[in-house]
Amino acid sequence: VKPLQAIWNKFPQFNKTNTILCDDKKEAFHLNPENGILITRFLHKKYGQDDELLKLAAYLKSIAQYDDLSAIDHRVWRLEI
């Protein structure tokens, strides 16, 4: 579990509206599910075929315009690109 509140407490310019956590384990953002993006696990044996981060970058660019990132349903991020 990656508690975002610890970051928000230390760096007050960050909060639930402007923070995204990307991880291949859903448990990592258990405490802040509205701030989490579940990505596919990288497999070294598929090096060269893995385009997950390219897709993620496109998605992050598409949501950068929003004031409250926690109000977006990130569970469907692949459908948004």
Side-chain angles (χ1 to χ4, degrees):
V1 175
K2 297 177 181 173
L4 291 175
Q5 189 64 52
I7 294 170
W8 299 335
N9 289 343
K10 189 169 184 170
F11 303 98
Q13 68 270 32
F14 299 110
N15 58 61
K16 75 173 194 164
T17 67
N18 64 9
T19 307
I20 294 291
L21 174 61
C22 305
D23 204 297
D24 65 344
K25 295 177 184 75
K26 194 173 187 177
E27 298 81 24
F29 44 88
H30 174 74
L31 296 175
N32 308 96
E34 64 279 354
N35 296 91
I37 297 177
L38 185 62
I39 59 173
T40 304
R41 182 176 161 208
F42 173 75
L43 298 174
H44 185 67
K45 64 183 176 183
K46 293 192 175 190
Y47 178 79
Q49 300 171 348
D50 187 348
D51 62 352
E52 187 80 349
L53 293 181
L54 294 174
K55 293 176 184 175
L56 180 61
Y59 175 71
L60 293 174
K61 285 180 185 179
S62 75
I63 65 170
Q65 64 185 323
Y66 295 102
D67 292 329
D68 186 353
L69 300 176
S70 67
I72 301 169
D73 185 357
H74 302 293
R75 293 174 298 173
V76 295
W77 74 270
R78 286 183 188 86
L79 301 175
E80 300 293 325
I81 53 172

